[in-house]
Amino acid sequence: MSESPEDVQVLEAFERSGGGARVRLQGQPVDGYPVLPPEAVRGSVLRITEIGEQILHRPCGPADAEFGTPELARLIDDMFATMYIAAGAGLAANQVDVDLRLFVYDCLDEDGVRHVGHILNPVIEEDTAARGRRLVEDVEGCLSVPGATMDVARPAHTVMHGYDKDGKPLTIEGFGYFARCLQHEADHLEGRLYVDRLAKRERKDALRQMTERRTEVFAKRQALTEKLMGSRDRAGEAG
């Protein structure tokens, strides 16, 4: 999922402040977290799959045997790095061509709280609360539909259950744009893109936007890749 324009502005202010914002890591409050997550520093950038590729349009397989493996930890690092260079708020495993029920996220909620983490085998709690049934229409984009944004109606509140990379149970609660992010990524793992929720005319408009803006999007990704490399070089020099 791509950042909303409002989130981009808040993140820029967050960076200028030196990262002094409220943070919830894996659903739990922490004193702070680096602006550039350590996972992104460790990870390698992977190719992001695009609409039309088969892996995006079928449900992902469950993660069972992968818990606690170095390969899973490395994949999570790589997904964070890939999400960062694409200016994303969330990224599902099938968006990097891996058939696994996993996604990572680094997203702000409506109160400016930053949520960072990963979750495997996520399940959205049904009928979590009356307020959760309230639908909110807001702008939504997707890293696999580069350059396109459309308004999509989704519940304003989400509770999600799943597991961390070591198989420990997790419960993540989201409000506002973070709730939207959780739902968007859960859709990915079921083989759905946000454009599948649009009417035929709106979907056509989204694909038109993608055609017109794709080159610009990839130029920005290249610039952020260079920024990531620079951050790694500086970290190496400091070490």
Side-chain angles (χ1 to χ4, degrees):
M1 181 169 175
S2 61
E3 297 281 5
S4 72
E6 292 79 8
D7 278 350
V8 171
Q9 293 171 5
V10 174
L11 280 172
E12 288 174 348
F14 172 69
E15 289 189 4
R16 289 195 298 271
S17 72
R22 291 172 294 165
V23 180
R24 295 185 75 88
L25 180 64
Q26 296 293 95
Q28 299 300 315
V30 295
D31 291 336
Y33 206 66
V35 173
L36 178 63
E39 296 90 341
V41 176
R42 294 191 299 261
S44 300
V45 175
L46 306 175
R47 186 186 75 86
I48 298 176
T49 53
E50 293 188 32
I51 184 171
E53 296 187 45
Q54 186 178 8
I55 196 167
L56 290 174
H57 301 281
R58 64 171 188 257
C60 292
D64 296 314
E66 289 80 6
F67 289 128
T69 64
E71 291 79 11
L72 177 58
R74 188 177 308 115
L75 173 61
I76 290 170
D77 288 348
D78 292 348
M79 289 174 64
F80 264 97
T82 304
M83 179 176 67
Y84 174 81
I85 66 94
L91 184 72
N94 56 355
Q95 291 183 277
V96 292
D97 205 26
V98 176
D99 183 8
L100 193 67
R101 299 185 74 82
L102 159 70
F103 69 82
V104 301
Y105 59 88
D106 189 343
C107 183
L108 297 171
D109 67 18
E110 59 189 9
D111 295 320
V113 177
R114 183 186 180 198
H115 298 262
V116 186
H118 67 272
I119 188 166
L120 292 104
N121 295 343
V123 176
I124 291 178
E125 192 175 284
E126 295 295 332
D127 300 322
T128 52
R131 59 185 170 180
R133 297 301 92 199
R134 179 174 63 91
L135 294 181
V136 175
E137 194 168 273
D138 202 351
V139 66
E140 199 162 317
C142 179
L143 304 184
S144 292
V145 191
T149 56
M150 298 294 294
D151 286 343
V152 180
R154 292 191 188 267
H157 173 238
T158 297
V159 175
M160 177 176 282
H161 304 286
Y163 301 88
D164 72 5
K165 62 183 176 64
D166 297 313
K168 179 182 177 181
L170 283 175
T171 295
I172 308 295
E173 184 174 21
F175 295 89
Y177 207 78
F178 182 48
R180 178 174 298 273
C181 176
L182 293 175
Q183 295 163 48
H184 179 108
E185 301 308 328
D187 271 358
H188 270 302
L189 303 185
E190 296 301 329
R192 294 192 296 264
L193 301 177
Y194 85 96
V195 294
D196 296 329
R197 294 181 173 273
L198 303 176
K200 185 176 180 180
R201 179 178 295 180
E202 293 171 328
R203 180 186 173 94
K204 184 177 180 180
D205 185 24
L207 295 178
R208 177 191 56 77
Q209 291 180 41
M210 175 179 163
T211 299
E212 292 177 351
R213 301 171 183 170
R214 189 173 180 276
T215 300
E216 178 185 354
V217 168
F218 276 81
K220 290 180 179 179
R221 289 182 185 179
Q222 180 58 38
L224 283 174
T225 299
E226 294 171 1
K227 181 179 179 181
L228 176 60
M229 296 302 104
S231 297
R232 289 176 173 174
D233 290 344
R234 289 191 295 274
E237 291 171 0

